Amino acid sequence: MQEISPSTLADDGASAAHLRPRGSNQTGMRQFNERVVLQAIRLNGSMPKADLARLTALSTQTVSLIINRLYEDGLVIKLAPLRGKIGQPSVPIALNPDGAFSIGVKIGRRSLDVLLLDFIGTVRMRFSLSYRVPDPDEVFAAIARQVKLMQAALEPAQRGRINGIGVAAPLSLDRWQGLMKLAPDQAARWNRLDIARRIEVDTGLPVQFAKDTAAACVAELVAGRGRSIKSFLYLFVDTFIGGGLVIDSTLHAGLHGNAGAIGSLPVGVAAPGGEAPAQLLSTASLLGLEQACEQAGIDPMAAYDERATQAPWAVHSAAWTEQAGAAIAMAVTSATCLLDLEGVIIDGSCTRALLEQLMAAVARSLDHYNWEGVERPQVLAGMIGSDARALGGALLPLYASFAPDRDVFLKLDA
């Protein structure tokens, strides 16, 4: 997945109204035009056929034919007529929540999440499993089991509407095994695995794969602040910090899929003959808070729940946020000078309370930098939270099946 624009599951009509999906009245464009109409409804909410025609630049007759087909296919529904205006009552057309489903899977270094998403982006079911290290047998067994449970929870007719599974995971679960205390044999097993293929075999459903932080960025791009901010650096604070880069409403993966991989940014200056400076990953990841808690003899997994801001963990969290905030501020400053960013969005698998502390620490550290010659970006908290990676994964099958052609992305009007 090299580029993804904010063309799916953004239901904020106020901000999405600036997006203008355009169709074509030429023959041979049936599927594309159907996707354009679905996109217009998704971005702007329910509306009558006449409004859809104006929005998409399709003829009223073409839109009427498309709506009839989509209605027969169960992808849209007709709402109660709007009365009180001159002429015949108009009938708003809306997406059918049961029109399609997808499953999002996040395989993390500390936890597994599985979500069942419907056609309008509502999470119907969820499952989470925490662990100290990810064991392949345990992880894949849990995924297969949960997929079967989610299928069983749907009506028979709905099961055939599952478009597939989107998996979000680190590109290399076996990396940094020393920091993770991952046994060499476990690391080697992850290294040999084709995650997508294994899940396809276990579930019988088609699977798409994305790097975990890229998937989280997709979720923010299409269902969060990306609806109103065109260019931003995205940071996701997890066991290891990572990120994504969005330029002109497009997620850029880069040559090797590592664009926005801020975890590898140095937080110091290399000196000849000295050791390489530490990376952002080593100073701004939740693993650091885990280690501080473990050394204090308290549960390190509190870094991921509400206990992080309560005694006796609060003092360690406060120290970690100051250190992490200073390191993130350095990365934000460097990235802004290079990319001239409109904003920076920070989210994570921690609680909102801990994220607020971290955001405050970042802001304080940014005050100490010289911004002469560049514009200081706005730094905002993400809107999705810990679900971002699994949600981003779940968006992939829906995007592939129902968004307009990937080569004709929806762009913001100039």
Side-chain angles (χ1 to χ4, degrees), residues 110 132 181 285-321 354:
R110 287 292 189 249
R132 290 304 303 270
K181 299 180 181 178
S285 297
L286 285 173
L287 181 64
L289 180 54
E290 281 188 46
Q291 293 171 335
C293 293
E294 192 168 31
Q295 291 171 4
I298 53 181
D299 186 1
M301 301 311 290
Y304 302 90
D305 61 44
E306 67 281 351
R307 293 175 296 169
T309 52
Q310 302 170 1
W313 294 272
V315 63
H316 303 287
S317 295
W320 174 80
T321 53
L354 185 59

Side-chain angles (χ1 to χ4, degrees), residues 133-252:
V133 294
D135 177 76
D137 292 338
E138 180 185 21
V139 168
F140 289 119
I143 293 170
R145 182 169 59 252
Q146 291 306 313
V147 168
K148 288 182 180 178
L149 290 174
M150 290 176 177
Q151 289 173 315
L154 296 174
E155 298 294 330
Q158 295 173 329
R159 293 170 199 163
R161 292 181 175 269
I162 298 177
N163 274 255
I165 299 174
V167 178
L171 290 180
S172 302
L173 270 164
D174 57 305
R175 297 186 65 183
W176 294 288
Q177 55 181 286
L179 288 174
M180 288 294 299
K181 299 180 181 178
L182 191 64
D185 62 323
Q186 284 183 314
R189 290 172 65 198
W190 280 114
N191 187 43
R192 294 192 300 266
L193 276 169
D194 182 334
I195 293 176
R197 178 58 182 161
R198 171 65 184 269
I199 296 175
E200 280 186 344
V201 171
D202 288 347
T203 65
L205 292 171
V207 176
Q208 292 177 276
F209 181 91
K211 185 172 72 169
D212 57 345
T213 51
C217 190
V218 166
E220 191 69 43
L221 175 63
V222 304
R225 296 193 185 276
R227 294 172 294 185
S228 57
I229 301 177
K230 292 179 64 176
S231 298
F232 60 89
L233 178 67
Y234 178 81
L235 287 73
F236 193 85
V237 182
D238 191 33
T239 308
F240 291 152
I241 190 172
L245 177 62
V246 172
I247 301 294
D248 291 333
S249 302
T250 300
L251 174 66
H252 287 263

